[in-house]
Structures are given as C-alpha cells and as structure tokens.
Amino acid sequence: MQDFKADFSLASGSYLLSHSVGRPLKSAEQVFSKQFFAPWQDSNVEPWQQWLKVIDLFCFNLAKLFNGRIEEFCPQVNLSSALTKLVMSLDELNDKFGAKNPVVLMSELDFPSMGFALKKALPQGCELRFIPKTLDITDAAVWQSYIRSDVDLVFISHVYSNTGQLAPLNEIVEAAKSKAALTLIDVAQSAGIVPLDLGHLQPDFMIGSSVKWLCGGPGAAYLWVNTKHIERCQPKDVGWFSHENPFEFDIHDFRYHPTALKFWGGTPSIAPYAIAAQSIGYFADIGSDKLRGHNQALIDIATEQLAEVFVSPMQESRRSGTMILDFGTKQQKVLEALQQANVNVDLRSEGIRVSPHIYNDMADIENLIAGIKRI
Ligand SMILES: Cc1ncc(COP(=O)(O)O)c(C=O)c1O
C-alpha cells in the first residue's frame, strides 16, 4: 500500500483543514522549478512553447479526474471570475436569456461570492431565486419542488462548505433536464474528494478550483463547458488567447477558439497551473473513489465517539468530506484546546470544520478526539 502521507509536506501535528487549503506535494517545488523556471532561466529561447504545455497538462489531468474531454476545460483565475464570464456568455446559448425575467435558482447555503457574481453578471430583470437555508439541501425532493418550469439555470454546489452537506447531484440534474433548465455545478469543495463523472452525469457547466482537496494552491481554477454548448457560448471578456489562432494578430478579425479556451482571455498566467497540474494528476491517478473511501472511513471512526456533537449529516449519501462539530457555548474552548494539541481545524457559522484527507490517518482522528475530550 502506497504511503500517501510521505508524499506531502506536513508539519508536525494533525492537519485537518483540506476544505480550506490542501497540503502541497513534496515534489511540487521541484516540478514548479522544472516546468516554470527552467524554460525561462536556462536558455534564451522564448519560453511560451514550454509554458503552454503546462496548460495542456492541466486540462488533460482535469479531464482524467472528472471524465470530461480536454477541449471542454478552460483555465480560470477563480470561481467568481469563471462564473461571471460564463453567465455573460449565455445570452446566445439560451433563448430565454434574451427574453424577460429569466430565473436562476441557487441556495442560501452557496458560497456568498457565487451570489455576488451572479447578481452582478446576470442580465437586468433576471430573478435570482433562493432555496432557503432552513430546508434540507441534501433532500432531492426539496430540489424537485424548486425546479419548476420557469427556472432557466440551476446553480448547484456539489458540497456546502459550512454545513458539510452533499447535494443529490444525479436527481438535481435529472430534474433540471426534465424542465429544460441548464445546470451549473460548483465543485470547489468536492474536487479531489467526492467522485464526479461528467461524461456520465452530463450537466451543462462546471466551475472549480485546485486550492482545497486537490492541494494545487490558489490561482488555478477552471471552467468546464459541455461540448454541446461550446459553439454557441459567446464570452464577452475575451483576449488574444480566446482567439482561434492567438498568433494571427489581425485586429479586425476576432474569431472564437473552437474549444472551451474561448473563455481564456489575455496573456495567461502559468505558475499556479504548473503546481496544480501535477497535483491534479496525482489525485486522478489515485482515483476519487479511493479518496472518498479513505475520507469516509475516518469520518466513520469519528462518528463513533463524537456522535452527539455532529451537526453535519451522518448518512454517507448526504455528507461531504468535512464533518462539522458543534460544542455550543464551549465552541471557542474546544477550538483553543485543539490548537494547543496541534490539531488544525477552523470554525464557521455551524461549528468546527474537520476534513480528513488521504494524508490523514487514525492517529489524526485519535488526536482530534483526545483534544476534544480534554474539555
Ligand atoms: C463552495 C465554494 N465555492 C466557491 C468558493 C471560492 O470561490 P472563488 O474561487 O471565487 O474565491 C469556495 C471557497 O471557499 C467555496 O467553498
């Protein structure tokens, strides 16, 4: 059995914050140096040919992880920006966006930045309709009751960051298709820990990043566009790398790139993608089922001793990679005790967030439980 722990840079203690920033691979620095600095430092040859191979690898590894096609992925800076670009490209895609009052459905539990971006990017007159946070977002029936025939686009967080809940993706996408609504999935909190097979599910769009469970650092986000929509999307925020031939340089002739790279823009950054491409490849090789299995097994062990403080779902089909623990008035005390025990977790509105990854083991869960039991 591979010693995954040995592959990562881990300080002493128990790092359980992979919902925030995943640990870097030990090889990340060397890979970064080879792919980013070496082509730039080691010769007078202009480095772009080498640098652009980094982006090819980034898209290739994403396609492997999510079972999508390479041409369906486009690098993005972060999810908010990807969302803005996508929404602004949709007027040609869906006739309803040209008509009055299109409706976009999302949840009050979505990451706030997604709501901010949608509000600003959607056409005037568009209704942003929220599923209230008091409803159980893991319940397919809740989604089915909100996906009515006037809904045009359904925004779905695969995983909700503050509640540890998992969205019933299959049922939501099916319900949306039955009402001819588009689906857009946010995988920021699920990529690298919850399996998602795009080829099988066939949603319309997906946005994600590499900084959390994919351990690829900030700045290497991505947009995925289902092949059937690529041609009709008309991004507004373009640049020479969105052009069919970036090196044509005819100011009077802009033609969209034939792949999802039409969403790329001006001169791209390379550095974040060099780190992320390798990391995504590492996780794609392990496979999401194995990653999920290990994560859920560690959560299961924690539930045996901490059941009474669990506020995230207990049922595997409804829970994400993160467990949320609520200690009521003792919340801050528990957090401090864990800090003293060198157990790294954080606190959000619903409770203390704990995320065991492939580099965590039984000893980390034992440290967590021992730290808690001190209070
Ligand atoms: C569910 C979810 N979506 C999106 C984001 C981040 O969006 P952005 O990349 O625009 O910062 C986060 C960050 O924590 C998140 O948890």
Side-chain angles (χ1 to χ4, degrees):
M1 160 116 177
Q2 192 178 340
D3 180 6
F4 296 109
K5 210 163 185 155
D7 291 338
F8 290 86
S9 294
L10 294 163
S12 65
S14 293
Y15 188 86
L16 293 160
L17 283 168
S18 299
H19 55 264
S20 178
V21 180
R23 301 302 304 167
L25 282 162
K26 280 182 184 159
S27 52
E29 234 175 304
Q30 201 190 345
V31 166
F32 181 68
S33 178
K34 187 166 159 229
Q35 297 194 348
F36 185 65
F37 274 114
W40 191 13
Q41 280 177 332
D42 296 352
S43 86
N44 288 338
V45 177
E46 192 240 11
W48 276 108
Q49 286 307 327
Q50 293 297 316
W51 280 349
L52 288 177
K53 286 187 189 150
V54 167
I55 303 300
D56 292 343
L57 185 66
F58 178 71
C59 294
F60 177 87
N61 285 338
L62 283 170
K64 194 155 130 191
L65 181 71
F66 290 108
N67 188 28
R69 298 193 179 135
I70 299 171
E71 318 81 65
E72 296 176 322
F73 288 91
C74 182
Q76 296 288 308
V77 174
N78 52 47
L79 280 90
S80 308
S81 169
L83 181 56
T84 299
K85 286 187 178 209
L86 176 67
V87 165
M88 288 178 68
S89 80
L90 289 184
D91 49 6
E92 295 298 319
L93 171 74
N94 185 342
D95 295 342
K96 288 176 195 152
F97 274 85
K100 272 192 179 164
N101 303 332
V103 175
V104 174
L105 180 67
M106 68 187 308
S107 161
E108 284 181 333
L109 292 172
D110 287 317
F111 193 68
S113 195
M114 303 297 96
F116 304 155
L118 277 172
K119 214 165 215 159
K120 289 289 174 196
L122 284 167
Q124 271 208 339
C126 180
E127 182 191 342
L128 200 51
R129 191 176 291 167
F130 289 95
I131 299 177
K133 60 179 169 199
T134 46
L135 298 184
D136 182 0
I137 208 75
T138 67
D139 184 352
V142 166
W143 286 92
Q144 283 149 0
S145 71
Y146 272 84
I147 301 174
R148 298 195 278 265
S149 48
D150 64 342
V151 172
D152 299 296
L153 174 69
V154 184
F155 182 93
I156 314 141
S157 292
H158 193 186
V159 161
Y160 295 87
S161 60
N162 289 345
T163 61
Q165 290 169 303
L166 183 68
L169 266 193
N170 290 336
E171 289 87 344
I172 299 169
V173 171
E174 196 186 318
K177 282 183 183 166
S178 76
K179 297 284 193 282
L182 297 167
T183 47
L184 165 53
I185 306 173
D186 167 348
V187 295
Q189 284 289 352
S190 64
I193 198 66
V194 186
L196 171 53
D197 184 329
L198 292 169
H200 177 252
L201 186 65
Q202 289 291 318
D204 296 292
F205 310 105
M206 182 186 85
I207 51 178
S209 64
S210 308
V211 62
K212 301 172 189 296
W213 301 89
L214 285 174
C215 302
Y222 41 88
L223 165 66
W224 174 85
V225 181
N226 191 313
T227 297
K228 67 182 177 198
H229 296 312
I230 292 176
E231 200 182 333
R232 292 185 65 197
C233 283
Q234 306 273 313
K236 308 285 183 292
D237 177 358
V238 295
W240 57 306
F241 276 84
S242 317
H243 193 285
E244 184 185 343
N245 176 10
F247 297 92
E248 190 176 280
F249 297 124
D250 176 355
I251 198 165
H252 297 294
D253 190 10
F254 176 78
R255 303 183 307 280
Y256 281 120
H257 199 284
T259 74
L261 292 181
K262 72 197 315 187
F263 283 95
W264 210 356
T267 308
S269 58
I270 299 296
Y273 303 100
I275 301 168
Q278 188 226 2
S279 195
I280 294 166
Y282 175 89
F283 286 109
D285 286 343
I286 297 174
S288 295
D289 287 330
K290 189 165 181 176
L291 294 160
R292 168 91 172 155
H294 179 78
N295 161 270
Q296 292 294 300
L298 291 179
I299 292 182
D300 271 340
I301 293 163
T303 57
E304 282 163 23
Q305 303 227 23
L306 301 170
E308 70 275 19
V309 290
F310 252 73
V311 286
S312 48
M314 297 292 248
Q315 209 180 319
E316 191 167 330
S317 62
R318 291 173 188 245
R319 74 186 180 195
S320 69
T322 300
M323 44 187 155
I324 316 285
L325 310 176
D326 182 13
F327 298 90
T329 53
K330 292 194 184 139
Q331 206 87 284
Q332 204 56 45
K333 275 206 163 123
V334 172
L335 194 64
E336 281 161 25
L338 288 174
Q339 267 159 9
Q340 270 166 24
N342 217 350
V343 176
N344 296 93
V345 292
D346 65 11
L347 176 62
R348 286 291 183 277
S349 58
E350 306 301 308
I352 290 178
R353 303 193 293 181
V354 184
S355 297
H357 207 348
I358 199 75
Y359 41 70
N360 295 114
D361 54 20
M362 260 306 287
D364 294 315
I365 301 299
E366 280 163 8
N367 288 345
L368 171 80
I369 293 167
I372 291 168
K373 295 248 152 117
R374 257 184 239 153
I375 300 296

